[in-house]
Each structure stands twice: as structure tokens, then as C-alpha cells.
Amino acid sequence: MNWFLIALKKYATFSGRSRRSEFWYFVLFYLIIFCALAFVDRLTGSFDADAGMGLLSGLFALGLIVPNLSVTVRRLHDTNRSGWWVLLSLVPLVGQIVLIVFMAQKGDVGENRFGPDPKEEPLSFPSLAG
């Protein structure tokens, strides 16, 4: 959960680099929360089958568009790719597969053109206390 909070804390930071763990834990918790909210939407009757989401899950997805994009761009930076590669997701099926491969690749060791290696920086997880 700490990695999800780190990504939310840097919600509009498109510069720098993100570790694989930061990206994949963000995706994991995003999907868990989205599915839980979609379940609640179904229970409350606010789920729209035509749209494929309900009120709560839709608001959640809308609210996390920017953090999702920023952590994806920083992950691409870690593999020494421009953030513009995120537009590849607009290509049906093939684009998403290529991006998944990029996200799964090991990041550059040491500094690259997007900043220092995030594995060399000390970890500091945000506290829930505030």
C-alpha cells in the first residue's frame, strides 16, 4: 500500500523515474480498489452495464487519471524512454502489450537522461498519520 501512496503523493510529477515496484503496486491496488468499488456499485444499483462502470468506480477512475499517467511516464523514464510512449496505449491490443513489456523491463542502472536511479535513493514511505 505504501507504493500506492508514494505514487499518489507524486500525482502530478511527470519528471524523474519510478521503480518497477512503485508502478506495479500502484496498478495492483488501483485494480483492487476499482473492483471493490464496482462491486459496491452493483450492490447499490449504480452500475451501468452499457458504460461498464458505476458511479463510485467511475469517479475513482476519473480521479486517478493524472496519477496513473504520471507513474506510467516515470516508469517509462526509468527504462530510458520518453513519456510520449504512453500514447502507444491508444493502439488497440498491440499498444497495450508493448507497454506492458516496457513496464516489466528492468530500469537503467545508474543515472540516465531522466534523472538518478530510483534504486539508489533511500526509501521513505509516507505515513498514514498525516
Side-chain angles (χ1 to χ4, degrees), residues 38-55:
F39 180 73
V40 171
D41 283 334
R42 281 197 183 267
L43 289 177
T44 60
S46 66
F47 185 81
D48 182 9
D50 293 334
M53 66 177 56
L55 178 65

Side-chain angles (χ1 to χ4, degrees), residues 100-116:
I100 288 171
V101 169
F102 287 170
M103 299 302 152
Q105 288 178 341
K106 185 176 180 182
D108 286 357
V109 176
E111 189 168 334
N112 70 12
R113 63 186 171 139
F114 297 105

